[in-house]
């Protein structure tokens, strides 16, 4: 769809869900939504509009609880664009090529349940703008998901310095990390009250030389999930640092499809709080599994769930 008549949705006064994603809408018309007072879910993702438009699109949508918008052409978000949106269960924004963000644009939305942000370009080229956007949505009660995050160096991590202190639950999809960024990220996690961390699609661009990584206090972290790990140069990946201290606090630990062939007895003996362990779809064998379980010595005493499916076990 390239064009929609301004009054097209007027008869649908009882409509609760409207999905206009993946069309060819270059202009968004506020008149589409004038009669949709009970609308709860609105999806405007992946259309070629560059801005949300004026007057504010969502001014009369007082029952809106799920809002998704953005795409490759979205360039700017102005202070008045979200006028009328008071609180949301879900907010999804794709803005990989965003060049302007007015601080406070998302600041009036509260409560805010789950926020998913795709900000590839701003994270790389305009850290101040990305930090301002994050600052507007990061609350302890809000679950944050970041999509397509490329952290090539120390500077790219610094935008999280203030916001990480307020985040309790963080998910990242498609994360690329250098050695320098990994060390910086660990430093930011130190002592922060993060309860849950999930990374799906992790690419390690370095050689695993994290010698400068200090011991990190993750005592508040109950759940850590990582899956679909790619190491660019596996033959040079040294993993020289002893990071066993990172594993001692979690109650739920998942390392899935990470090409892991060994989780040592030294590691599992540190996992004194672990109740749930998922190491599925890796390269564990009968021999390395036995070593992981310390050959019948005491380890993983609190374990209640163990998933070892999809490994090379006979």
């Amino acid at each position: 769809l390239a064009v929609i008549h301004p009054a097209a949705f007027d008869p649908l006064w009882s409509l609760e869900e409207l999905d206009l994603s993946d069309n060819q809408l270059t202009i968004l018309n506020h008149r589409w939504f004038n009669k949709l007072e009970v609308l709860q879910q609105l999806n405007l993702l992946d259309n070629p509009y560059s801005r949300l438009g004026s007057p504010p699109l969502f001014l009369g949508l007082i029952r809106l609880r799920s809002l998704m918008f953005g795409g490759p052409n979205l360039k700017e978000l102005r202070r008045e664009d979200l006028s009328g949106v008071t609180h949301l269960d879900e907010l999804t924004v794709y803005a990989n090529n965003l060049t302007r963000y007015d601080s406070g644009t998302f600041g009036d939305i509260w409560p805010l349940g789950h926020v998913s942000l795709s900000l590839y370009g701003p994270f790389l080229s305009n850290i101040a703008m990305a930090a301002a956007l994050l600052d507007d949505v990061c609350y302890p009660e809000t679950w944050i998901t970041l999509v397509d995050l490329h952290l090539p160096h120390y500077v790219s991590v610094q935008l999280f310095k203030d916001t990480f202190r307020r985040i309790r639950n963080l998910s990242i999809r498609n994360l690329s990390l250098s050695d320098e960024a990994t060390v910086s990220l660990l430093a930011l996690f130190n002592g922060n009250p993060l309860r849950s961390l999930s990374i799906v699609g992790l690419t390690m661009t370095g050689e695993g030389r994290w010698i400068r990584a200090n011991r990190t206090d993750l005592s508040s972290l109950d759940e850590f999930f990582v899956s679909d790990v790619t190491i660019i140069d596996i033959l040079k990946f040294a993993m020289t640092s002893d990071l066993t201290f990172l594993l001692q606090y979690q109650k739920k630990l998942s390392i899935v499809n990470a090409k892991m062939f060994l989780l040592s007895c030294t590691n599992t003996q540190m996992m004194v709080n672990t109740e749930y362990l998922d190491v599925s779809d890796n390269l564990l064998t009968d021999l390395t599994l036995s070593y992981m379980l310390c050959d019948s010595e005491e380890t993983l005493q609190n374990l209640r769930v163990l998933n070892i499916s999809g490994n090379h076990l006979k």
Side-chain angles (χ1 to χ4, degrees):
L1 296 173
V3 177
I4 298 177
H5 190 279
F9 303 126
D10 284 1
L12 305 178
W13 55 268
S14 62
L15 193 69
E16 296 181 355
E17 300 180 21
L18 177 59
D19 188 344
L20 297 174
S21 61
D22 294 291
N23 281 294
Q24 297 297 319
L25 300 170
T26 56
I27 297 176
L28 302 178
N29 192 332
H30 71 283
R31 292 180 59 190
W32 296 339
F33 313 120
N34 281 350
K35 306 291 185 180
L36 305 184
E37 295 181 357
V38 299
L39 194 69
Q40 297 178 21
Q41 299 181 33
L42 177 60
N43 187 349
L44 299 170
L45 287 172
D46 291 322
N47 282 275
Y49 50 83
S50 61
R51 52 177 299 194
L52 293 181
S54 183
L57 283 177
F58 317 116
L59 202 55
L61 303 181
I62 58 175
R63 298 192 185 182
L64 195 65
R65 295 298 174 263
S66 175
L67 176 60
M68 293 171 274
F69 68 85
N73 289 25
L74 184 65
K75 298 297 184 183
E76 59 181 49
L77 287 171
R78 298 175 179 265
R79 186 68 174 84
E80 64 275 10
D81 283 348
L82 275 294
S83 296
V85 182
T86 54
H87 66 278
L88 293 172
D89 297 328
E90 180 182 15
L91 172 65
T92 299
V93 180
Y94 287 3
N96 287 326
N97 297 309
L98 196 69
T99 57
R100 170 180 173 173
Y101 176 78
D102 291 351
S103 182
T105 299
F106 295 134
D108 295 332
I109 305 175
W110 176 255
L112 194 53
H114 179 206
V115 176
S116 180
L117 301 173
S118 185
L119 299 168
Y120 182 86
F123 278 127
L124 284 180
S125 60
N126 195 334
I127 292 176
M129 183 177 68
L133 200 157
L134 270 179
D135 191 57
D136 281 347
V137 298
C138 285
Y139 304 99
E141 298 83 0
T142 302
W143 194 297
I144 302 294
T145 297
L146 302 176
V147 184
D148 297 330
L149 192 59
H150 179 51
L151 303 178
H153 43 63
Y154 167 83
V155 176
S156 59
V157 177
Q158 294 312 298
L159 69 94
F160 298 109
K161 189 173 183 179
D162 295 324
T163 55
F164 266 17
R165 298 188 184 124
R166 303 202 304 269
I167 297 177
R168 300 295 182 270
N169 300 288
L170 175 63
S171 297
I172 306 176
R173 298 201 311 269
N174 191 17
L175 170 65
S176 175
L177 274 179
S178 67
D179 284 349
E180 183 183 351
T182 300
V183 173
S184 299
L185 206 57
L186 288 172
L188 287 184
F189 283 137
N190 186 40
N192 279 336
L194 193 66
R195 290 194 295 258
S196 173
L197 175 62
S198 172
I199 303 174
V200 177
L202 172 62
T203 300
M204 307 299 300
T205 62
E207 299 180 354
R209 301 184 186 278
W210 306 330
I211 298 173
R212 293 192 301 111
N214 298 318
R215 292 184 65 86
T216 303
D217 178 9
L218 292 175
S219 54
S220 65
L221 192 64
D222 285 335
E223 182 174 358
F224 177 62
F225 178 96
V226 61
S227 72
D228 305 327
V229 178
T230 300
I231 299 173
I232 296 298
D233 196 339
I234 189 68
L235 296 179
K236 291 184 179 180
F237 200 77
M239 194 64 179
T240 53
S241 301
D242 178 15
L243 300 179
T244 54
F245 64 89
L246 296 176
L247 305 174
Q248 66 188 93
Y249 301 110
Q250 295 83 27
K251 292 181 180 179
K252 296 185 68 176
L253 177 62
S254 302
I255 306 173
V256 179
N257 190 24
K259 301 176 182 63
M260 180 176 67
F261 60 86
L262 177 65
L263 186 62
S264 72
C265 173
T266 305
N267 289 327
T268 55
Q269 284 181 329
M270 293 285 289
M271 295 157 58
V272 295
N273 296 314
T274 304
E275 299 176 0
Y276 178 101
L277 178 60
D278 184 351
V279 289
S280 59
D281 297 323
N282 281 294
L283 303 175
L284 298 175
T285 65
D286 294 351
L287 182 63
T288 57
L289 180 63
S290 180
Y291 180 45
M292 183 184 85
L293 300 176
C294 297
D295 295 317
S296 301
E297 293 182 21
E298 286 192 5
T299 187
L300 298 170
Q301 293 298 295
N302 288 324
L303 196 67
R304 296 295 176 266
V305 177
L306 174 63
N307 186 353
I308 54 174
S309 63
N311 281 280
H312 296 180
L313 303 174
K314 296 180 180 178

